[in-house]
Amino acid sequence: MSTELPESAAPPPTGAGESFPAPTRRTFIATSTAVGGAVVAGSVVGGTSLIGAEEATATERPPSSRVSLTVNGTRRTVTVDNRTSLLDLLREHLGLTGSKKGCDAGACGACTVLVDGQRVNACLTLTVRLEGAEVTTIEGLARGDELHPLQQAFIDEDAFQCGYCTPGQIMSGVGCVQEGHTSSPEEIREYMSGNVCRCGCYVKIVRAVEQTAARK
């Protein structure tokens, strides 16, 4: 009787020249998963302190400063992130939402306020630079129930439509009158040119500024 084994049952060859069958897709995926899991587990165990340090860095508070300034006649002392604009201080910290955030890039004038009597774009002005400054917003113009002359002139001349730009227009107009740049409609337009009215009420705005300057 022959003792020769069938080819399928023969033991695999041994020795230096032996070769192994290529791994199947299933064995490759299983091996990759096992190795990947071991690497992840090792990084979790070995990198605990690193992750903790990253989390601590992420939760660090940004640089801040304590600033004292006068807003509409009231002394305010605030601690703010050094990147806080005057506009965000007024709207988000002090609740004075009359100054509008239009472009937030100094191009529309909707956020115009007075700082020490000078017109500025609040969105481009850093709060940390205003130590000891006096800030006037649209909320600070009226005296009780008595409107500022330019506020009344805007009503008399119907110098607004949607009203979004109106606070900035009025504050810029007040500055324009105080600076004496009201000798002609052309001069008023020139010195009010940084304030954009998307509704196109420019003619009536100029009239309101002229009316206020004439009564000064």
Side-chain angles (χ1 to χ4, degrees):
M1 179 182 292
S2 173
T3 59
E4 183 178 353
L5 295 174
E7 183 175 340
S8 60
T14 60
E18 66 181 357
S19 61
F20 297 95
T24 65
R25 180 173 178 273
R26 178 173 298 177
T27 58
F28 174 78
I29 293 175
T31 303
S32 300
T33 302
V35 173
V39 171
V40 171
S43 64
V44 170
V45 173
T48 303
S49 59
L50 177 60
I51 294 175
E54 291 175 347
E55 291 177 347
T57 302
T59 57
E60 284 181 359
R61 299 177 64 180
S64 60
S65 297
R66 187 177 179 85
V67 182
S68 293
L69 67 167
T70 301
V71 181
N72 297 331
T74 301
R75 192 69 172 173
R76 305 274 194 165
T77 299
V78 294
T79 299
V80 294
D81 184 324
N82 288 349
R83 300 164 294 181
T84 303
S85 68
L86 174 58
L87 180 59
D88 285 340
L89 171 73
L90 295 172
R91 292 181 58 84
E92 307 299 333
H93 295 261
L94 303 183
L96 299 172
T97 57
S99 303
K100 303 305 181 187
K101 181 174 285 193
C103 66
D104 206 25
C108 73
C111 65
T112 304
V113 299
L114 302 180
V115 175
D116 294 331
Q118 301 297 313
R119 293 178 284 173
V120 303
N121 290 319
C123 71
L124 298 183
T125 305
L126 289 175
T127 299
V128 293
R129 302 187 64 184
L130 299 178
E131 177 64 35
E134 291 192 12
V135 179
T136 304
T137 72
I138 190 68
E139 292 91 344
L141 285 185
R143 295 294 179 264
D145 294 332
E146 182 183 354
L147 296 177
H148 185 278
L150 186 54
Q151 289 176 305
Q152 186 61 55
F154 262 67
I155 296 173
D156 296 341
E157 296 294 336
D158 194 23
F160 52 88
Q161 189 167 323
C162 78
Y164 193 83
C165 75
T166 303
Q169 296 280 1
I170 291 176
M171 296 308 300
S172 187
V174 169
C176 192
V177 171
Q178 291 178 352
E179 294 159 12
H181 297 304
T182 56
S183 60
S184 67
E186 292 75 22
E187 185 177 27
I188 293 173
R189 283 195 291 269
E190 175 66 24
Y191 282 88
M192 292 283 291
S193 60
N195 291 79
V196 177
C197 176
R198 293 170 177 82
C199 301
C201 296
Y202 296 112
V203 172
K204 295 179 178 180
I205 290 172
V206 171
R207 288 176 183 169
V209 175
E210 281 185 302
Q211 175 183 316
T212 304
R215 294 175 180 177
K216 184 178 178 182

